[in-house]
Amino acid sequence: MKEIVLISAYTPDTPTQDNLRELIKSLKDLNYRVCLMTHTSTPSDIIDRCDYYVYDKENELLYDPEIKYFYFCTVNEYKILFKDYFAVATHMLPVFRMYLGGLAYLKSMGEEIVHMIEYDTIVKNREIWDKNTEILKEKDAVFYSFPRFYQDNKLVCVYGFQSVNVKNISYDFLNFIPEELKKQYKEYFDTLQYPIFERIIFDNIWNKLNYHLIQLNDENDLSSSFDLNLNHIGSGQGENTTIHFFEGKYHFFHNNHNEDKSTNHFEIIINKNQYINLACTFPHYLWFPLDFENIENIKIYKNNTFIKEIDLTNEEDKKWITEHSCVIKR
C-alpha cells in the first residue's frame, strides 16, 4: 500500500524551521514520502525535499473573549480573575484547515496510507508505522489514547498522532465550514467538554470511522520510534493586566512576572484627559483604585505601548469589566 507522511507545520522563525528540516531529513532517511501543509512561508531547501507542498495563506485566529480562559492572581484573601486582552482564544480554525485540507488533498491525489505528524518530532525508525500499515489493510484508522481521554468510561478523544487510510474516509467528513466549527467550539467551551479541539475532531471525523485503538499510558510509550523536539517551546507568558470593578470603584491590576525581571511602567488615561503614572517592579503586583467620578473611558499604555481602551458607554467593552474580570473573596 502507498504510504505518505502528512506534516502540519507553523514555522515562522529559524528555530522552528530547523525543527521541520530535522523531521523531514529523518523521514527521507527512512524512505518516506512527505506532504507538507503549512500556513507560513518555507525555505526552498525544505520544499525541495517534499513530494507535496501546500501553502495556505489563511490563518484565522479567534480572539473572542467568550471562549478565552480566565487567569487569576491571589492577593491576600482575594482572588483576581481576568481574561488576557491579547491572548488567542483558539487556533482551531487554521489547525482544522490543515487537518481537513491535507487529508482531502491527498485523497484526491490517490494516496492511501497517511501518517499524520506535527513538525516538532523526529522519526527514528519505521517500526510503529509499519505495524499501523498492516492494521490499515482492514481498518480505516489507527488511533492512540491515554487514560485521561475517557469520561465515564467512554472514549471522548484521541491523541493528535494517527495513521489513516484516506481511501476509506468520505469527503463529506472533510468539509471545512468555519461558522459551524466556531459555533461548535463555543458549545463545547460552554459545556466544559475538554480538550475542545481533540473532542471536536473526534466527534466530527474519527469516531465515525472503523478504527483500531491502541491504549497508551503516556507519550513515552511511543519513544521507541519518535522523539519530541522541544527546542521551540517558549514560556507562553501572557499580559497580566486588567480593569475591574471592586467595592464601588474601578481598579487597575497588573502582576509583573517579566522573565528579564524588568520594571513595567504604565500610563492610564481616564476620560481622555486625566493621567495616572504607575510603575510595577518584578516580582510584584499593582492593585490601584481609580478615584475618579463618572468614568466613561479608560486607556492603558504599558512601557509606552498601547494595551487597551475600554469605552464604558459600549456594551462589548463593558463586558471586559463586568464579565471578563472580577474579584472574589476566598
Side-chain angles (χ1 to χ4, degrees):
M1 301 178 75
K2 293 170 61 179
E3 291 180 78
I4 193 165
V5 178
L6 174 60
I7 303 172
S8 299
Y10 180 78
T11 54
D13 52 36
T14 298
T16 54
Q17 289 169 3
D18 286 343
N19 288 348
L20 176 60
R21 191 175 280 111
E22 290 281 333
L23 168 59
I24 293 178
K25 181 180 184 301
S26 72
L27 291 170
K28 287 301 180 178
D29 287 346
L30 295 169
N31 296 316
Y32 281 112
R33 294 181 304 122
V34 172
C35 174
L36 174 62
M37 185 88 179
T38 181
H39 294 293
T40 49
S41 60
T42 305
S44 59
D45 69 292
I46 294 177
I47 297 173
D48 290 344
R49 304 198 73 177
C50 297
D51 298 271
Y52 301 102
Y53 170 66
V54 182
Y55 169 63
D56 179 9
K57 184 179 180 180
E58 182 64 46
N59 188 27
E60 182 183 357
L61 305 178
L62 301 183
Y63 291 90
D64 184 354
E66 299 293 337
I67 52 175
K68 284 186 179 182
Y69 298 101
F70 277 96
Y71 291 81
F72 74 88
C73 183
T74 300
V75 178
N76 299 322
E77 72 270 32
Y78 298 99
K79 181 183 285 188
I80 298 173
L81 297 96
F82 56 94
K83 296 188 176 184
D84 190 324
Y85 292 140
F86 295 150
V88 176
T90 177
H91 295 80
M92 173 197 66
L93 291 181
V95 174
F96 260 104
R97 285 176 70 95
M98 286 198 284
Y99 261 78
L100 304 182
L103 289 174
Y105 176 70
L106 292 175
K107 179 178 175 66
S108 71
M109 291 293 103
E111 296 293 340
E112 297 177 289
I113 306 304
V114 179
H115 304 295
M116 304 177 69
I117 197 168
E118 296 194 9
Y119 69 93
D120 52 4
T121 307
I122 298 296
V123 181
K124 298 188 290 187
N125 58 60
R126 298 181 61 107
E127 177 185 338
I128 288 178
W129 278 346
D130 280 349
K131 291 178 181 177
N132 289 357
T133 297
E134 285 300 309
I135 295 170
L136 290 170
K137 291 178 180 179
E138 305 293 334
K139 296 286 188 175
D140 300 340
V142 178
F143 299 138
Y144 299 88
S145 72
F146 302 125
R148 66 179 183 270
F149 290 166
Y150 289 81
Q151 185 174 22
D152 299 325
N153 296 317
K154 179 184 177 183
L155 183 69
V156 296
C157 65
V158 293
Y159 189 32
F161 180 94
Q162 50 269 318
S163 298
V164 299
N165 187 336
V166 289
K167 289 199 309 181
N168 298 338
I169 300 179
S170 170
Y171 282 116
D172 292 340
F173 296 158
L174 303 178
N175 289 327
F176 178 71
I177 308 174
E179 291 309 314
E180 290 187 9
L181 288 171
K182 291 177 185 178
K183 181 179 178 182
Q184 190 174 15
Y185 192 97
K186 178 71 163 57
E187 175 189 334
Y188 280 44
F189 183 91
D190 290 342
T191 54
L192 308 180
Q193 297 186 59
Y194 305 134
I196 298 175
F197 170 79
E198 288 83 356
R199 290 189 69 158
I200 289 177
I201 200 163
F202 183 71
D203 290 345
N204 289 3
I205 307 174
W206 304 143
N207 197 33
K208 298 176 182 179
L209 304 180
N210 177 24
Y211 62 82
H212 176 82
L213 184 68
I214 298 175
Q215 307 273 1
L216 302 177
N217 291 315
D218 57 46
E219 289 86 342
N220 290 329
D221 289 349
L222 297 172
S223 62
S224 63
S225 292
F226 307 99
D227 278 339
L228 185 65
N229 190 335
L230 300 177
N231 291 338
H232 73 285
I233 295 177
S235 66
Q237 178 174 298
E239 176 52 60
N240 288 300
T241 302
T242 190
I243 300 289
H244 55 257
F245 195 74
F246 175 69
E247 293 186 341
K249 292 181 181 179
Y250 294 105
H251 284 66
F252 169 82
F253 176 82
H254 173 74
N255 182 28
N256 184 342
H257 61 187
N258 291 338
E259 291 179 343
D260 61 3
K261 301 183 180 181
S262 60
T263 297
N264 286 327
H265 297 272
F266 291 91
E267 183 178 56
I268 306 167
I269 306 174
I270 307 298
N271 293 339
K272 302 183 179 182
N273 60 9
Q274 299 177 86
Y275 297 80
I276 302 171
N277 290 286
L278 301 170
C280 185
T281 58
F282 175 90
H284 302 112
Y285 64 84
L286 281 171
W287 194 13
F288 189 84
L290 303 178
D291 290 321
F292 296 89
E293 297 290 334
N294 302 318
I295 295 178
E296 293 186 347
N297 186 279
I298 303 170
K299 186 179 289 188
I300 306 166
Y301 288 85
K302 174 184 173 183
N303 300 327
N304 296 317
T305 299
F306 174 70
I307 294 293
K308 184 71 174 176
E309 181 173 11
I310 299 175
D311 179 358
L312 293 168
T313 65
N314 179 291
E315 287 301 317
E316 289 301 313
D317 279 11
K318 284 176 65 175
K319 284 185 178 181
W320 281 107
I321 292 174
T322 58
E323 297 182 18
H324 307 319
S325 185
C326 66
V327 178
I328 58 175
K329 192 167 185 177
R330 296 188 295 153

